[in-house]
Amino acid sequence: MNDFQKPYHYLITKEEELLIEETLSELSQTYMISFDHNHHIDLKTFETFQHYSEIKILSSINLCYNNQNFKILIINVDYHFMGGKYGDRKCNENQVIGFKILHQDYGKVLIRNENTLDKILEIFHKIEIDFKEDKQFSDNYFVLSDNEVKAKAFLKNENRNLIQSLPTEENFIIQINQKQLIINNKKPINKNNINQIANFLKNNF
């Protein structure tokens, strides 16, 4: 499979290429698949990608399921990791992102697993959106938005259930920028995450 952007083909290892090819072959049993060579997606408009020094889209893969269209993006990122066991260092990684155009504008929204620090900060300063009607979701997920009404319009009961069906240990982050949604977890390319992202994005939202 040579459907990677020509200037960046060298950034994909043979092992990654074979893994992606095998995964797409399996997905083709469920989804219609094609490759998009004229994509125009600015990932730096999403909050968690703004600290990357460079983002290259290596491949843009279109998937369709029951009239639900979305993309799997294979990207290469450069960033500076500060601190940790090995000190400051520059990193270069290939990752997988899911991308979908939504039916309406939901403003800016960030959804991720809630951690201990989030809970501590919440004691001193109200910074996240709570869902009083869904304590389990509020206890487990951290939601930030520039418009609470729009965020709650997206996070209706069905969509909260879909988010909660994602494996917690995968630490997926969902971001919305108006009518664009992305989902990723910053892990190296792997078959499970590609399948989990596709299974999430095939839903009608």
Side-chain angles (χ1 to χ4, degrees):
M1 182 180 71
N2 294 311
D3 291 284
F4 296 98
Q5 299 301 302
K6 294 297 182 184
Y8 306 137
H9 190 270
Y10 69 96
L11 292 169
I12 285 280
T13 67
K14 189 63 179 177
E15 290 76 14
E16 289 172 328
E17 188 168 353
L18 289 172
L19 183 150
I20 294 167
E21 183 175 3
E22 180 182 327
T23 306
L24 292 181
S25 177
E26 294 173 2
L27 287 174
S28 67
Q29 305 302 310
T30 304
Y31 304 89
M32 291 180 59
I33 295 176
S34 63
F35 291 87
D36 180 5
H37 299 292
N38 298 301
H39 51 78
H40 300 284
I41 302 169
D42 184 3
L43 292 172
K44 285 201 171 186
T45 62
F46 294 92
E47 190 71 28
T48 61
F49 285 93
Q50 291 176 5
H51 69 283
Y52 288 150
S53 56
E54 190 169 6
I55 305 169
K56 303 180 185 77
I57 297 179
L58 308 183
S59 187
S60 177
I61 306 157
N62 301 316
L63 287 85
C64 181
Y65 176 86
N66 285 349
N67 294 319
Q68 295 300 310
N69 298 292
F70 57 94
K71 297 178 185 291
I72 297 292
L73 304 177
I74 308 299
I75 67 168
N76 175 270
V77 296
D78 285 321
Y79 62 95
H80 187 198
F81 185 84
M82 301 178 66
K85 181 178 179 181
Y86 301 104
D88 294 0
R89 66 187 189 276
K90 290 183 179 180
C91 299
N92 179 276
E93 296 175 351
N94 291 337
Q95 300 176 4
V96 178
I97 297 179
F99 176 90
K100 187 171 187 177
I101 300 293
L102 303 173
H103 298 309
Q104 67 185 72
D105 181 348
Y106 291 105
K108 286 183 174 290
V109 186
L110 184 145
I111 307 159
R112 60 168 171 77
N113 293 346
E114 188 164 71
N115 58 42
T116 303
L117 180 59
D118 296 329
K119 296 180 186 297
I120 293 172
L121 289 174
E122 185 74 2
I123 295 172
F124 300 100
H125 183 58
K126 167 70 176 175
I127 56 173
E128 68 167 315
I129 297 174
D130 281 326
F131 294 81
K132 294 180 180 179
E133 73 280 15
D134 193 340
K135 188 176 185 304
Q136 181 177 350
F137 183 85
S138 282
D139 286 347
N140 293 322
Y141 292 90
F142 184 78
V143 179
L144 290 179
S145 175
D146 64 348
N147 188 310
E148 183 169 342
V149 173
K150 286 185 176 182
K152 287 192 171 182
F154 174 77
L155 287 166
K156 55 188 177 182
N157 186 59
E158 305 95 287
N159 289 348
R160 293 198 306 272
N161 288 339
L162 286 173
I163 292 168
Q164 290 183 100
S165 71
L166 293 166
T168 305
E169 66 275 11
E170 297 296 345
N171 291 309
F172 281 111
I173 299 172
I174 298 167
Q175 296 174 83
I176 297 171
N177 183 11
Q178 298 178 334
K179 294 181 71 174
Q180 298 182 336
L181 178 149
I182 63 171
I183 174 172
N184 72 303
N185 62 2
K186 301 184 180 180
K187 292 187 177 182
I189 297 171
N190 66 86
K191 183 183 293 190
N192 281 342
N193 285 170
I194 294 174
N195 279 296
Q196 289 158 349
I197 288 171
N199 190 55
F200 177 74
L201 292 180
K202 74 180 183 183
N203 293 283
N204 184 18
F205 46 69

